[in-house]
Structure formats: structure tokens, C-alpha cells
Amino acid sequence: MSLLKVTNLTKKFGTFTALDKVNLEVNKGEIYGFIGPNGAGKSTTIRVLLGILKATDGDVKLFDKDAWSDAVEIHRRVAYVPGDVNLWPNLTGGEVIDLFVKLRGSNNKSRREELIKKFDLDPTKKCRTYSKGNRQKVALIAAFSSDADLYILDEPTSGLDPLMEQIFQECVFDLKRQGKSVLLSSHILSEVEKLCDKVAIIREGTIIETGTLNELRHLTRTQILVDTKQPIEKLAELKGMHEIEETEQGLSFQVDTDQMDQVMRHISQFGIVKIESAPPTLEDLFMRHYEGTEKVDVSGAGGAQ
Amino acid sequence: MANNSFVKTGYLTRFILRLDRFRISLWLVGLTFFTLIVPVAYTGLYENQQERDAMAVTMENPAMIAMVGPGNIENYTTGVMTAHQMLLITAVVVGIMSILLLTRHTRADEEDGLIEMIRSLPTGRLSYLNASLLVISGVSVALALITGFGLYALGIESMDLEGSLLYGAALGGTGLLFAGVTAVFAQLAETSRGTIGWSIAILLFTYLFRAITDVSDEALSWISPLGWVTKTEAYDANHWGPIFILIGVSVLLFILANYLHAIRDLERSFLPSKPGRRTATRFLQSPIGLAIRLQRTGMIAWAVGIFLIGISYGSVLGDMETFFEGNEMMEQMFQLTEGGSITEQFIPMLLIVMAIMSTIPPIMAMNKLRGEEKKDRLEHLLGRAVSRTRLMGGYVVLSVVNGFVMVSLSAIGLWSAGTAVMEEGLEFSMIYGASMSYFPAVLVMIGLAVFLMGYFPKYTTLVWLELFYSFIVLYLGGLMQFPEWVGKLSPFDYIPQVPSEDVSVMTLVMLTVIAIVLMVIGFIGFNKRDID
């Protein structure tokens, strides 16, 4: 069942097209990663989802309701953490949390206290004294102590330290266990990789890739380090080989994942002494999409033999 | 250490000057304009000594002395009159200028983390503080010289060079002194709001202290810095002593600020900040509760201010007759006609001015919504179960109530002081009713603000222009003889001038309807547009 469905969303500011035919679908119980560089349109998309910006064209539905006209109904079931958390300098963190939770509707006092302790926030301080990380904690505590069905988190950890990031991840896993859905926009790839079931990559207002992590890995390469008894011959002539390099530990190269089988067959003829492989990271995926000009089949020019 | 603490002060001084060049120019031009326009107007209004003496009589009551200080009634030349009626009030404005300008580059920049950036560069620990002090000192000296020579250049007989320079020096000295006060509070208070708040409190306290002592025992006024300003007796006795005291105390305050700055850590303060509430009260937990909470302090300050303005206008009503007798220009300005007492005909003019002033806080309350939008804080509310209508509705209700309270307070202030000084007293229902008849015009102004917020959010400040226009047209309208349509562009012009004119219920209803229509259109626009 899809909680959130965006079809051909286009948003223009004057003549500038910020979003061009964006499609997204988040199902119940899914943690959905939404990644892209700054200015790609992540926050614009999210603000359309929340009915803060009006779509120029396309269909945006949350819980089968229109994001613009049914905004208030929808927001009763949504918890949101903005990327840039600006708070009222003369209110305390505790006051802001209560205000936020109350404005959504439900209230969970015990959860609030537990989270304040977990995130190590002093709620009696005025917001003007909070650092970026602390302001983010306020928004996160307010979001996590709400009983929502969909959590929309816009780069929620950009100001948190690693310890707090850990706690954030625990909270997201908690939500997942409860069958809640999360839309997590981020450019911290390791985080998305750890948390998300599905990923959409946006660049210059267009979604350039969507799918599960496994599906996307098809598009990427595996890093191999191999040491053989005899020197490997004709490696560079194989399909899908990249960045072949002779190192002290052996031969290092990248191979397109779908060519893995034939490459392994070829190498095994030369007597493998040692082999190490590293899984493709989202990082690679990301880089390949953002290095717009890079071609997929640039073969390793610095050949082995 | 000492020689390292001031590295690059000169460079930072130029930097601050560059940042604030428009702001500073505006203050200087504005203050100079108002300083120079008054004696020119006085020479037009009071053509001979006899007329000035008549004016002097009206100044000889405790209320006026409390307001503007003592003056030499025996020698009431144009110069003495200007210094008596204008110097103190201008000095207060100069004090406010100093407080605002200096806070920007002391505690406010520190709060925003800018001083941290500058400190990380090879600059001295005290450089930025002293750069901002140098800038404000430069502004004070410039103000003293420009107004001093400017007044002399007017070529008015009783305004000689020494008196003019003394007048300017008193203004400049006040600027320096309150720069010193602000510099010290920038070290003591933790926030820029606190700094401004404490400094303004000191300014008000010195003003009130002087008001009380001027009436009761003038010698005690020597304790108040604003007392020193009036004790210069410019254009009369020309005492320079108070100027030296002003400068001396300023230097001491500058040194104290430097000392405090040197012994404290960055972003720390001496006045401890007490921990705030751990949880929100029930009151805060709604959009309108939040709006009230954010504006509470400002609204209370405005309410007190508006009430005091009402009282001060009311306190002059007693001497009206003496004041106006035989002064043609004044009669023209206030469009006095034969029949009816002068006081009764003067009241509508006071009411217009008070109504326009009472419109300022409700418009600020309404435009706060735009301020919140610009600071990206509306999405916290709209991202939750709050509709745009409910959000804007809260601000509109707050603004309308605010306007009602302000108009009421101005009327109550005017009545209570007026009835005390007038022999025959004033009827409360007449004054209150007449004031309230301006409320529909206030509503139209609020409506305009709502409309702009809905459809032209980038131009919400235009409503201030309309208010300023209303003030110019109605206050100076009689004098300038504008054609009739000029006035019709302001909602205030349609209000019948009670008590000299009859109440026209139809006009009031029409204005209210226009206000409601503007608001409804504004709501529609706000519901349709993107939030920035």
C-alpha cells in the first residue's frame, strides 16, 4: 500500500524549473532514502509534499489525499523535521517541543522525556543559545514523540555528532519495527545505506535513479584485490573492467557487477593466492551519477600486463 | 598584551562604517532635518516677542516642565525656545540611535557568531569593540558639528555660533554617553535584546528622574545625564560644563566596557541567564498563543507608550486658549473656525495623530507573520495540523484586538490628563467615542496589511508608506492646502472630525466593510500562494 505517491511533479519558480517530472512512491513500512547534492531539489520536493509550496503540475498524494488541498488532514499523520531548523530565540527547547507536538494533535509525554534524555538535550535553555545540532535535536524529539504514520526527515543528522547519529538511527529502526514509513533525505550515504530499503537519487530537479539498494547495485562495480601465482593475462580485454592498478599486495581493479562471473572464471585460471572484495558502496553509485560526464565503459587504460 | 589587543582596529572601523553607511547617513540626515526645521517653523509661527511670550506662558506648568525640562521664560527668544522645547527630546532620540547602532556591532554580532569569525582572524581581542566605539564616536562628533553649524547657518538672530555649537555638542555628547551605557550593557547582558532593553531602560529612567527632579528640586537633576543636556542652557547662559561631564563620563564608560570585555569569555555575560521553562504552558500550545507570546513584550511597551502620549497631549489642553489666541498660522494649521471653543476644535487634530500612532503596533503585529515566514519558521506550523486560515486568523485577531486596545488607551490617557488640567473638565464618553470613530480606519490599514501578505508578500512594508502618507496629508493638510483627492487616498481622512463634526455611521460602516473585504481577499491569497 503506498502512503505517498508523487506523479510527474513539476515545480517552477518563474521561469526556473526546480523540479521536472519527479516520481516517488513510498509504501507502508518502508524507509525511503532520498539523496542528491545541495540544490538538487530535495527540500523543494519535501516542501511540496507538505503543502508549503504549490505544485506547478503533477499529482502529489499522501494517504490518497491531495498534498495541497488536504494539507491539514494529512499533517495529522505526518511528522516533519526540516533541514534548516530555525526556532524562536526567546522560547526554550522544552516549550518548542510541546508546541510542535501539540500542534500535530497527539501527545506522548513519557516518550518526550525519554527522548530528551536519550538525545542529551537541556530543554530549559532558550533556543537562541542552541547550536545547529541542538536545534535539530529539538525538531527530532518533537517528531519522534509524535505518533505519526509517515516521518519526513530532511537531512536530519547534518549537525549531529556520531554518537547522536547512532541514537537517531536507533530511533529510525524503532519506527521501522512499528511498521511506520520514513522519507529520509540525506547526503550522508553511509546512513542511507544502513537505514533505507529503497533509494531515489535526484539531480538538478530530475530523479535519475530509483530502486532498492540491491537493484541499484547492479549498476555499480565491485572493488577486487587479487594476488595470483602467475601474472594474469589479457585482463584489460575483458568486458566491464576499470581502474586496473598494480599494487604491492597484488592487482587491484573494479569490475561491473554484472560482468563478475566471467571475470572470476578468467582469473581463476592463474591460481588465486589471495582475493579480497569490497561491496559497492552508495558512494560509488552517487559519484557515478554526479560525475555527469563520466562514461560507464571507460576501460582501465593503465593495463596490467 | 595591551598592544596586541587593538590590532586592525582602524581596518575594522572602516569595515563597520561601510556596513552601516546608509543606516548612519539616514540617522544623521533625519536628526539634522528635524533639528533645523523647528527654528525655521518657529520664526514663521511666532513673529514677535509678544507671541513668543504667550507661548512661554503655556510652558510654565509642571506637565510641560516634566516633559521638556525647564527654560528661561524671561528671555524667550527663538533660540531659547528651540533649545527649551526641542533639545531634550532630540537628545532622547540621539540616545536611541546610539543604543541601536552600537548594539548591532557588539552583542548582536557576538550572538550571531560574527565576532567569533573576526576573532579567528589576526585581529586584537578588543579591536572590534573599539572599532564600533570609534564609529559611534565619529557619528556623535559628526552630528554635533553638522547640527551646530547647521543651526548657525540658518541665520536666525537669536541663534549665535556659540549657542548653536553648544546645542550640537549636547546632542553629540548624549550620543557618546549612551554609546558608553550600551557598550557596558553589551558586556553585562547575554543577548542583543537584553542589551537594548537595559540601555533603553536606563535612558527612560534618566528621563523620568530628570522629569521628577525638574519639577520638585532642580538641583537634583544634576544626577541625571539628560539633566546635563538641559543645563547647558544653549542660546541663553551657554554653559559648557555639562558637555565636559558628558564626555568625561562617556570615556569612563568606554574604559569600563573595555575592561569587562577583556576579562570575560566570548559569548558569556555577567548577568546570569536563568533557566527557562521545561515544558510549555497550555496557553502557548496554539498558533495564536505562540503569536501572543512572541509579541508580548513589544505590545506591552507600545501600550505604555501610547498611553503616555495620550497623557502628554491631554496635559496641554488646559492652556490651549492662551496658546492659540491671535496666532494666524496655528489657526490655519488646525483649521480653526469661529464658534466652539478652541480646545474642542483642537481635539480632532490630536485624535488623528493618536489614531495614526495607535495604528503602528497593530500593523507590526500583522507584519510579524511575514517576518516569521522570512525566518522559515512558518513551516514548523504549516507542516503540522495547522491550516493557513487558522494561522493567519490568529494574527488578524491579535492585530485587531491590539488596535482596539491602543486606540482605547490613547483616549483614556488624553481624557484623564485633559480633564485634570481643564477648568470645566472633559466628558469621557465624548473623547472615547471620538477616538473610537477612528477604529474603522485602523481596520482598513490592518486589512491592507493582510491583503499585501496574501498577494504581495514581498511588499508588506508598503502599508507603512500608506500610514506615513496619511500622517503627512492629515497633519500638514490644512497648512499645505492640498487638493481634496489627496486626502481621500487615506482611510483616516473619511472619519468625521468629532466633536466639531457629526458622527456619520454610514462612513464608519463602509470603512469597516472595506477592511473586511481586504482581509477576505488577503486570506484567499495566503491560502493559494507558496510560502517562501
Side-chain angles (χ1 to χ4, degrees), chain A residues 66-235:
Chain A
D66 185 70
W68 178 262
S69 49
D70 302 319
V72 176
E73 269 315 296
I74 291 170
H75 296 170
R76 289 190 213 284
R77 302 175 61 187
V78 170
Y80 166 55
V81 176
D84 236 340
V85 185
N86 291 305
L87 301 174
W88 298 273
N90 47 339
L91 299 188
T92 65
E95 284 178 315
V96 172
I97 292 171
D98 285 353
L99 173 74
F100 282 180
V101 173
K102 175 76 186 177
L103 289 180
R104 249 202 79 259
S106 60
N107 200 349
N108 195 332
K109 271 269 176 323
S110 59
R111 183 99 182 105
R112 172 193 188 271
E113 289 309 312
E114 184 195 321
L115 285 164
I116 286 176
K117 205 170 288 167
K118 243 182 166 178
F119 276 106
D120 194 24
L121 178 83
D122 181 352
T124 63
K125 277 196 169 162
K126 299 268 181 189
C127 290
R128 78 171 92 249
T129 63
Y130 284 149
S131 63
K132 177 174 163 56
N134 276 330
R135 291 200 304 272
Q136 236 156 7
K137 286 182 195 173
V138 169
L140 283 169
I141 292 169
F144 287 134
S145 52
S146 315
D147 286 317
D149 293 316
L150 174 65
Y151 293 76
I152 299 179
L153 314 174
D154 191 359
E155 296 189 9
T157 56
S158 50
L160 297 185
D161 61 47
L163 216 66
M164 289 303 140
E165 216 177 303
Q166 191 72 39
I167 288 165
F168 166 76
Q169 288 172 5
E170 282 169 26
C171 289
V172 173
F173 279 126
D174 273 349
L175 294 179
K176 192 177 172 153
R177 267 194 293 280
Q178 295 164 33
K180 312 277 191 180
S181 309
V182 178
L183 177 67
L184 173 66
S185 126
S186 181
H187 53 216
I188 302 173
L189 298 156
S190 58
E191 178 180 284
V192 172
E193 215 168 6
K194 212 178 286 177
L195 296 172
C196 297
D197 307 307
K198 277 193 190 164
V199 174
I201 303 176
I202 186 167
R203 183 188 168 203
E204 288 172 6
T206 320
I207 301 277
I208 48 177
E209 209 70 68
T210 52
T212 64
L213 276 181
N214 278 336
E215 280 165 5
L216 293 186
R217 277 185 184 132
H218 278 297
L219 300 170
T220 187
R221 308 162 183 166
T222 304
Q223 178 76 39
I224 304 279
L225 179 73
V226 66
D227 192 11
T228 48
K229 288 180 188 148
Q230 298 120 39
I232 307 172
E233 288 163 15
K234 292 181 183 169
L235 188 65

Side-chain angles (χ1 to χ4, degrees), chain B residues 86-319:
Chain B
M86 294 307 297
L87 180 56
L88 182 66
I89 222 74
T90 315
V92 169
V93 178
V94 171
I96 292 172
M97 170 193 79
S98 267
I99 291 168
L100 295 181
L101 283 180
L102 195 69
T103 306
R104 275 171 60 78
H105 293 297
T106 50
R107 192 44 90 164
D109 275 353
E110 190 166 336
E111 211 173 27
D112 293 342
L114 287 170
I115 293 192
E116 186 179 339
M117 290 285 296
I118 286 166
R119 279 271 193 95
S120 71
L121 303 168
T123 60
R125 199 163 301 132
L126 297 171
S127 301
Y128 202 66
L129 173 65
N130 285 292
S132 30
L133 286 173
L134 273 176
V135 168
I136 199 78
S137 304
V139 171
S140 301
V141 171
L143 180 70
L145 294 177
I146 295 172
T147 51
F149 284 109
L151 284 168
Y152 178 62
L154 293 175
I156 293 166
E157 199 197 338
S158 55
M159 303 176 85
D160 56 351
L161 183 60
E162 190 189 358
S164 299
L165 287 179
L166 181 60
Y167 190 106
L171 292 182
T174 314
L176 273 184
L177 185 100
F178 282 97
V181 169
T182 313
V184 171
F185 277 110
Q187 317 309 317
L188 298 179
E190 200 187 14
T191 63
S192 58
R193 281 165 60 109
T195 307
I196 292 175
W198 278 105
S199 307
I200 299 256
I202 295 286
L203 180 68
L204 287 181
F205 177 76
T206 53
Y207 181 83
L208 287 176
F209 185 84
R210 178 216 53 78
I212 295 163
T213 52
D214 274 352
V215 173
S216 55
D217 181 357
E218 265 193 55
L220 281 177
S221 287
W222 279 102
I223 298 173
S224 163
L226 285 177
W228 305 336
V229 172
T230 56
K231 301 245 185 269
T232 54
E233 295 183 42
Y235 299 120
D236 190 25
N238 283 344
H239 298 306
W240 284 87
I243 302 295
F244 295 115
I245 306 180
L246 277 172
I247 295 173
V249 173
S250 305
V251 170
L252 288 179
L253 287 170
F254 283 13
I255 293 170
L256 177 62
N258 266 291
Y259 172 72
L260 292 173
H261 194 75
I263 60 167
R264 76 180 171 95
D265 286 339
L266 195 66
E267 282 161 34
R268 298 279 149 177
S269 58
F270 293 95
L271 296 173
S273 60
K274 55 180 193 299
R277 286 176 182 278
R278 199 179 164 79
T279 57
T281 56
R282 284 186 62 84
F283 174 73
L284 176 61
Q285 298 180 19
S286 68
I288 193 169
L290 174 67
I292 293 174
R293 171 68 189 277
L294 294 177
Q295 304 184 39
R296 192 176 54 193
T297 322
M299 286 192 303
I300 293 172
W302 269 100
V304 172
I306 292 282
F307 183 66
L308 287 178
I309 287 171
I311 287 189
S312 58
Y313 276 162
S315 64
V316 300
L317 286 178
D319 298 310

